[in-house]
Amino acid sequence: MSVAAQPLSSANSGKRAFPMEYTRNIGIAAHIDAGKTTTTERILYYTGVVHKMGEVHDGNAVTDWMEQERERGITITSAAISCAWTTATGPFADIQHRINIIDTPGHVDFTAEVERSLRVLDGAVAVFCAVAGVQPQSETVWRQATKYNVPRIAFVNKMDRTGANFFGAVDDLRNKLKSNAHPLYLPIGAEDTFKGLVDLVQLKAYQFDESDPAGVKSLEIAIPADMADEVAHYREALLEAVSDFDDVIAEKYLGGEEISENELKLAIRKATLSLNFVGVIPGSAFKNKGVQRLLDAVVNYLPCPLDIPDIEGSNSDGEKVGIRPDDSAKPAALAFKLWSDPYVGKLVFVRVYAGTITKGTSLYNPRTRRSERIGRLMMMKANSRDDVDAVYSGDICAVIGVKDVSTGDTLCDPNLDLRLEPPTFPEPVISMSIEPKTKADQEKMSVGLGRLAEEDPTFRVSTNAETGQTIIAGMGELHLEIIRDRLFREFKVEADSGKPQIAYRETIQSQAEGEGKFIRQSGGRGQYGHAIIKLEPNEPGKGIEVLNEIVGGVIPKEYIKPTIDGIMEAANNGVVAGYPVIDFKARIFDGSFHEVDSSEMAFKMAGIFAFKEAMRKATPALLEPIMKVEVSTPEEYQGDIMGDLNRRRGRIQNMETKAGVCIISAFVPLELMFGYATDVRSLSKGRASYSMEPSHFEQVPANLLSKVVESSSRAPARS
């Protein structure tokens, strides 16, 4: 029995327009300039949401609606939009599906937008450039999708470009991303001869109708004779790959029996949902080729809300609780994005995991222990919106009226004791001071920065205690430039910024013990706190672990948490140059208390003193952020680019040449990458480009340590 003929789940409400089986929540994610927004624009055109295709280079793309996006030709904020598609073939044939799409940024400075989108999506379309293949940010978004167990399909875009190599891109997917990637279609031709596709499932060939520039029509043709062997080889590889996931297919494949189109599509779907198979589709979004086949694949192979495993949350006791999508269950939703809209105020984007939410409902926020009333519900179309009366399990929508809600908060039924796992975000790597130009701008700047920090979890605002300066911290120079631009345009604040500062970190390299005593005696009741801790290095990237190893009640249970709080507070300012301390284990193993004088404050101070003493003895080290840099340059500039990277203390990791372009990968300290965009253009007469993303922290070389410590003491910037 086909999927279409199967009865719909009882989890669906009779009032919803699209049952969950026919709903797809997907993200479009890729490296910058791989063609995500152009692909999204074509999807909106073919599904009838827009009647004229927008172009990124013309500044009229629907999902790039911010002024800054249209000026720069890049996506800065993820945009949510809904459309409907009916595929003509396969198990879901002739059934209209709702596809909720989030178009995400490709620039690493806005990686938080990708992170929070993938946390709430069921499936993803990863877009790759047919010329460049897998690029650095492609790897980042792939890892993010893997972290959140998001099934995905791959769209190899720009098949019309000079140097396009579909099979090279598939090999990149296998080698660089270690994915089990297999073509679902083969391209007929490439570059300026890219004229059609061969469907490996149906074993049919389609030629694009060049008389229809919108690309709506395609003509069925015979499979080109010169491709017969290639088609047979890749069809065989596809059958062999999916037979690992479907016993019926395996039996028929081994027995040489005929496999029907529906059977094979259901097997590909099963393989995709297992996270161990990736179907690949070639196309050219800009030339309107292959996007309808991509939409068919989204419907046929990516999951509906019922296909994904139970969403795990935890109750107030820390026990795991599973949530299944069911319209009649108690409501549970995750707030994954906040946005300040000039017309309606604070928009909170939520993914509904269970239940039905209606206008006027009160939902409980376990973090604040307060109820929030839902004033309005909206289905988003980029920066426009449609009011609705109710939203259901599996829906992504925006709510208005909630006040004290942050990114990652759970909104649920007051009788449902549940906190869903929030998305995680990287720490800022760069900070700078910012000052309003006039006294009148001071308050407006404070309000504006507060709103922007609320929206963006990777943007931090703090005040430097020594200088009184306002410090902003983010993911890169472009990130902070956009923040300044938004301050000016949205909040009418003119501000000057200081020189960017690096977000250094500190760590320890050996074990040491530290004793902290806080004793105050002043006539009446005194203060007494005493803790002894052992510090030891943790694995890089493992973060901070504080373990309670007190036995025999030498420190009463109620004073353990204040001691831990003291250790964590002390770790915000290390002993080398006052930067946050990372990657250590602290064990609280001894101490003492006073029946009358001990207090939480005294033990918190004891924790601070114990940590500082232990860290001084544990061979402290200063760490600097290291960036993974990839430069694409014509071969004649390779030597100059490599020499420049070496001068920046860069370590070349890899070099490869594709279609006359040399791709150089290197690790370079962030400190030496400021202004690199200008330098790389001048070295290559404007023909080279680069991308950069945070990789890891490394110890500052001994010969530079005193210089860094001295500069940080003059202009401290803590993030």
Side-chain angles (χ1 to χ4, degrees):
M1 183 164 58
S2 78
V3 170
Q6 289 177 359
L8 296 177
S9 164
S10 59
N12 289 295
S13 161
K15 294 180 180 177
R16 61 187 300 152
F18 290 87
M20 276 186 268
E21 287 85 345
Y22 308 146
T23 299
R24 303 287 182 270
N25 292 315
I26 67 162
I28 313 281
H31 185 86
I32 190 168
D33 204 30
K36 298 175 300 302
T37 301
T38 304
T39 302
T40 306
E41 286 296 314
R42 300 309 184 259
I43 288 173
L44 298 182
Y45 177 78
Y46 293 129
T47 56
V49 174
V50 297
H51 302 292
K52 181 178 183 295
M53 297 183 207
E55 302 292 358
V56 173
H57 57 266
D58 290 338
N60 59 3
V62 174
T63 53
D64 280 356
W65 53 269
M66 288 174 67
E67 288 177 57
Q68 292 92 336
E69 292 177 315
R70 293 185 166 178
E71 285 171 2
R72 290 170 170 81
I74 61 170
T75 302
I76 291 168
T77 182
S78 52
I81 198 158
S82 297
C83 58
W85 180 251
T86 305
T87 182
T89 62
F92 294 104
D94 304 322
I95 298 170
Q96 193 176 48
H97 284 65
R98 170 184 274 167
I99 304 175
N100 298 319
I101 302 171
I102 295 184
D103 174 31
T104 64
H107 198 289
V108 67
D109 281 19
F110 310 107
T111 190
E113 291 291 324
V114 185
E115 188 85 26
R116 58 174 155 204
S117 300
L118 289 172
R119 168 63 183 85
V120 298
L121 292 169
D122 302 329
V125 175
V127 181
F128 299 90
C129 173
V131 181
V134 172
Q135 296 166 280
Q137 189 63 6
S138 316
E139 294 184 50
T140 302
V141 298
W142 196 266
R143 282 196 305 270
Q144 288 170 316
T146 302
K147 178 167 89 173
Y148 293 116
N149 296 321
V150 177
R152 65 218 84 147
I153 53 179
F155 182 58
V156 175
N157 191 25
K158 303 191 180 183
M159 281 298 301
D160 59 304
R161 287 266 303 274
T162 303
N165 183 347
F166 175 70
F167 300 107
V170 174
D171 287 343
D172 259 11
L173 278 162
R174 291 174 179 167
N175 299 328
K176 291 185 178 178
L177 302 179
K178 309 299 179 207
S179 70
N180 185 17
H182 289 270
L184 301 176
Y185 295 83
L186 295 185
I188 301 174
E191 303 179 350
D192 55 357
T193 63
F194 177 49
K195 60 183 181 181
L197 298 172
V198 176
D199 186 334
L200 293 177
V201 175
Q202 291 183 287
L203 285 179
K204 292 179 180 177
Y206 299 92
Q207 183 173 314
F208 306 122
D209 186 349
E210 299 296 342
S211 67
D212 173 24
V216 175
K217 301 176 196 164
S218 56
L219 313 169
E220 189 174 328
I221 59 169
I223 293 174
D226 61 348
M227 289 184 68
D229 290 346
E230 195 174 51
V231 169
H233 169 74
Y234 283 102
R235 161 86 176 188
E236 191 77 8
L238 178 62
L239 290 173
E240 192 177 326
V242 297
S243 64
D244 289 341
F245 303 93
D246 192 297
D247 293 341
V248 174
I249 297 289
E251 207 171 298
K252 288 192 171 186
Y253 172 67
L254 293 171
E257 295 177 49
E258 189 70 29
I259 296 168
S260 73
E261 177 195 334
N262 275 12
E263 284 176 327
L264 182 50
K265 284 191 172 176
L266 287 171
I268 294 170
R269 179 180 180 79
K270 199 174 185 180
T272 304
L273 298 189
S274 77
L275 301 171
N276 294 312
F277 176 90
V278 178
V280 190
I281 302 149
S284 167
F286 182 58
K287 293 291 177 70
N288 313 320
K289 295 176 177 179
V291 178
Q292 292 110 314
R293 303 294 72 81
L294 174 64
L295 278 164
D296 288 343
V298 166
V299 164
N300 284 321
Y301 307 132
L302 289 182
C304 72
L306 292 168
D307 290 324
I308 58 175
D310 288 8
I311 297 301
E312 274 200 349
S314 53
N315 60 22
S316 53
D317 296 326
E319 297 164 345
K320 296 290 182 188
V321 180
I323 293 288
R324 283 299 294 158
D326 185 342
D327 290 345
S328 58
K330 291 175 181 174
L334 182 72
F336 68 94
K337 178 179 167 79
L338 275 63
W339 190 258
S340 296
D341 187 283
Y343 303 107
V344 296
K346 184 173 171 180
L347 282 174
V348 178
F349 288 73
V350 301
R351 161 70 192 260
V352 184
Y353 282 104
T356 301
I357 299 174
T358 54
K359 277 197 301 187
T361 307
S362 282
L363 294 178
Y364 178 66
N365 182 344
R367 179 182 64 85
T368 61
R369 301 191 178 281
R370 287 176 51 189
S371 287
E372 299 279 357
R373 187 177 178 278
I374 307 297
R376 289 165 70 188
L377 290 165
M378 295 174 165
M379 301 303 286
M380 298 303 295
K381 289 188 176 175
N383 64 330
S384 64
R385 55 198 77 80
D386 294 333
D387 275 272
V388 293
D389 293 325
V391 290
Y392 304 92
S393 299
D395 281 348
I396 292 174
C397 66
V399 301
I400 294 174
V402 295
K403 293 180 174 63
D404 191 6
V405 172
S406 300
T407 301
D409 279 356
T410 301
L411 293 172
C412 61
D413 185 275
N415 298 317
L416 192 62
D417 181 14
L418 175 76
R419 286 189 76 165
L420 297 171
E421 183 188 338
T424 55
F425 299 104
E427 288 294 310
V429 296
I430 182 172
S431 61
M432 64 169 69
S433 61
I434 186 164
E435 297 291 337
K437 283 191 175 176
T438 67
K439 198 79 174 165
D441 283 335
Q442 180 71 53
E443 191 174 333
K444 284 195 291 182
M445 186 182 87
S446 179
V447 170
L449 290 175
R451 289 239 191 109
L452 294 171
E454 192 179 52
E455 286 175 15
D456 184 348
T458 57
F459 173 60
R460 308 278 170 81
V461 183
S462 60
T463 302
N464 187 284
E466 295 170 38
T467 63
Q469 286 179 309
T470 300
I471 304 294
I472 58 174
M475 298 304 298
E477 288 180 277
L478 179 61
H479 188 194
L480 297 185
E481 184 188 319
I482 296 293
I483 292 288
R484 275 187 61 203
D485 200 30
R486 287 188 62 193
L487 266 182
F488 175 65
R489 296 194 194 200
E490 294 172 35
F491 301 97
K492 307 293 182 277
V493 175
E494 293 203 33
D496 292 317
S497 56
K499 188 184 172 211
Q501 301 289 326
I502 311 295
Y504 290 96
R505 293 289 183 266
E506 297 183 23
T507 193
I508 56 170
Q509 300 176 87
S510 61
Q511 293 187 7
E513 290 184 10
E515 183 175 15
K517 276 188 178 180
F518 183 74
I519 302 170
R520 293 284 184 277
Q521 215 61 50
S522 55
R525 181 178 171 179
Q527 296 282 354
Y528 185 93
H530 177 212
I532 304 175
I533 68 168
K534 180 187 285 181
L535 280 189
E536 57 189 75
N538 209 350
E539 291 174 46
K542 265 293 185 77
I544 298 172
E545 292 179 60
V546 183
L547 308 174
N548 173 20
E549 297 183 352
I550 292 294
V551 291
V554 291
I555 298 179
K557 189 178 176 184
E558 64 266 29
Y559 297 136
I560 297 298
K561 187 179 181 304
T563 308
I564 293 172
D565 291 344
I567 292 169
M568 297 302 288
E569 186 175 309
N572 287 330
N573 299 94
V575 300
V576 180
Y579 288 97
V581 188
I582 60 170
D583 298 334
F584 68 83
K585 273 185 190 171
R587 304 175 188 274
I588 308 169
F589 70 92
D590 202 359
S592 62
F593 74 103
H594 189 281
E595 289 284 358
V596 178
D597 290 350
S598 284
S599 66
E600 290 188 1
M601 192 274 281
F603 272 95
K604 183 177 180 180
M605 295 304 297
I608 292 172
F609 295 157
F611 178 84
K612 293 289 187 189
E613 181 182 295
M615 187 177 177
R616 285 190 191 94
K617 296 191 287 189
T619 325
L622 188 65
L623 306 175
E624 62 181 345
I626 303 295
M627 310 303 282
K628 182 181 180 186
V629 179
E630 185 171 279
V631 186
S632 300
T633 175
E635 288 180 90
E636 61 261 41
Y637 305 112
Q638 176 186 335
D640 292 341
I641 298 281
M642 287 177 63
D644 183 63
L645 287 172
N646 285 328
R647 280 192 295 276
R648 297 172 190 268
R649 290 198 283 130
R651 298 196 311 278
I652 308 296
Q653 298 297 303
N654 187 39
M655 278 191 304
E656 59 178 319
T657 303
K658 286 185 182 178
V661 174
C662 181
I663 299 165
I664 304 165
S665 298
F667 288 129
V668 191
L670 173 62
E671 181 206 3
L672 297 164
M673 288 302 291
F674 292 127
Y676 186 63
T678 306
D679 294 344
V680 79
R681 278 197 291 266
S682 64
L683 285 168
S684 63
K685 297 182 180 170
R687 293 173 63 194
S689 62
Y690 82 103
S691 62
M692 178 171 80
E693 62 179 352
S695 174
H696 59 283
F697 283 90
E698 282 183 13
Q699 191 170 342
V700 174
N703 60 322
L704 298 174
L705 182 61
S706 58
K707 178 183 157 194
V708 173
V709 172
E710 185 185 331
S711 64
S712 66
S713 64
R714 280 201 312 267
R718 308 288 181 260
S719 63

